[in-house]
Amino acid sequence: MSGLVILAVFAHPDDETVCSGTLVLNARRGGRSVVLCATRGEVGEIRDPTLATPETLGQVRERELQEACAILGIDPPRFLDYRDSGMAGTPENAHPAALVNADRAHVLRQLVAAIRELRPEVVITFEPGGLYGHPDHIAISQFTTEAFTRAGQADQFPDAGAPWQPARLYYCTFEQERFRQFQQRLRQPGEEAPLPTIGTPAAAITTRVPIDEVLALKRQAMLAHRTQVDPEGAMARAQSEELRELFRFEMFIRVVPPLQPGEQDEFFSDPDGR
Ligand SMILES: [Zn+2]
């Protein structure tokens, strides 16, 4: 049994929930799991006005992610100092500090420096569609994919540490069909708005990590994001069996190295994840 160094690069506190079970399993194997978050989710929702104001939301969400990582038993999170760009089509998209308006080389340099410092074997980020099209999710997927390659090249950002090429790049995602079933089951009578398409078709998923044994911890860490989790929402309404059905595997697309024909990817080298 030996753990990996995993660097998971996301846009907002709570994004890490998509792969938090895998991060826990790695830590339990003696590995190191680090979440690097590009923004503090400053323009996210405030489900309960007693928890934060628009002015304090970034600080509050920073603490929520710290708490979530402590619950998961992984490294404290790291942050880049960009601003949440908001959902597509909102005025926040135009804020000069927004991640989507950031200087490309500036972002890449910081990601390359983090990779060279931490020397991960595995880098994880969102699938290119950002799960459901959030501009920051799409941006961080692109930045991380580029930094993954450039970190290993000596002529790239030579003042950002010694070159280090991580062995594997994964995009994390949901299985689209499974998520759709979950959305449909949780619909309240009379809810008719079209369901958003979330995740990736099952056929494109290369890697399923069973996380049954840490599912309770995953849920507990998710609920630490108190400003974001709607107490009346689908996650809170979901019965444990429904959550288990949705979350008992975490889904990835292995991008580097590409899967060979007939190859079965095992995220951890021994198949039962222990
Ligand atoms: Zn997000």
Side-chain angles (χ1 to χ4, degrees):
M1 149 167 165
S2 63
L4 304 160
V5 178
I6 299 178
L7 176 62
V9 187
F10 291 115
H12 314 114
D14 82 355
D15 290 347
E16 80 291 348
T17 300
V18 184
C19 67
S20 58
T22 303
L23 299 180
V24 174
L25 289 173
N26 181 54
R28 288 189 174 184
R29 295 163 58 92
R32 184 173 182 199
S33 301
V34 182
V35 174
L36 176 61
C37 195
T39 83
R40 290 172 174 76
E42 292 87 346
V43 303
E45 295 183 61
I46 303 176
R47 298 289 190 181
D48 175 348
T50 67
L51 296 172
T53 65
E55 291 70 36
T56 65
L57 184 59
Q59 290 165 283
V60 171
R61 293 192 71 184
E62 180 176 346
R63 287 200 300 273
E64 288 174 347
L65 180 55
Q66 286 164 346
E67 189 184 334
C69 290
I71 290 168
L72 296 169
I74 64 173
D75 272 37
R78 298 175 172 214
F79 290 88
L80 305 181
D81 291 324
Y82 298 103
R83 189 173 191 274
D84 187 343
S85 311
M87 300 292 269
T90 61
E92 311 286 354
N93 298 169
H95 195 289
L99 179 63
V100 293
N101 301 321
D103 177 71
R104 188 163 190 85
H106 189 252
V107 181
L108 288 171
R109 189 183 187 289
Q110 293 176 85
L111 295 178
V112 165
I115 291 170
R116 290 177 178 171
E117 179 204 332
L118 294 164
R119 305 186 143 223
E121 285 99 1
V122 172
V123 173
I124 298 173
T125 189
F126 280 122
E127 58 88 21
L131 281 189
Y132 54 88
H134 192 296
D136 285 333
H137 294 186
I138 294 169
I140 202 65
S141 179
Q142 292 172 352
F143 284 133
T144 306
T145 303
E146 188 170 345
F148 177 89
T149 303
R150 291 174 73 169
Q153 298 171 344
D155 60 343
Q156 300 291 311
F157 304 103
D159 56 346
W164 174 262
Q165 182 57 63
R168 290 184 275 161
L169 174 65
Y170 285 97
Y171 291 149
C172 63
T173 188
F174 288 119
E175 192 179 294
Q176 211 171 78
E177 298 87 342
R178 193 184 290 258
F179 205 91
R180 172 56 48 90
Q181 287 170 5
F182 179 75
Q183 291 167 308
Q184 284 166 341
R185 271 212 304 276
L186 291 182
R187 280 203 148 190
Q188 300 281 55
E191 276 182 45
E192 276 165 21
L195 292 167
T197 296
I198 291 178
T200 305
I205 288 167
T206 62
T207 311
R208 291 169 169 78
V209 178
I211 61 138
D212 237 352
E213 64 185 287
V214 296
L215 193 58
L217 212 55
K218 178 185 175 90
R219 184 165 201 247
Q220 194 191 340
M222 181 177 75
L223 294 173
H225 296 284
R226 283 180 286 277
T227 57
Q228 305 305 302
V229 181
D230 180 356
E232 305 298 320
M235 291 302 172
R237 287 205 308 267
Q239 299 305 305
S240 55
E241 272 315 302
E242 289 167 327
L243 273 184
R244 184 171 301 271
E245 181 57 30
L246 180 65
F247 286 133
R248 66 198 166 94
F249 293 97
E250 289 178 346
M251 311 287 177
F252 299 90
I253 302 162
R254 198 179 84 190
V255 185
V256 179
L259 225 58
Q260 300 304 310
E263 183 186 357
Q264 280 280 99
D265 186 49
E266 295 294 347
F267 191 95
F268 296 109
S269 51
D270 46 331
D272 67 355
R274 284 175 196 284

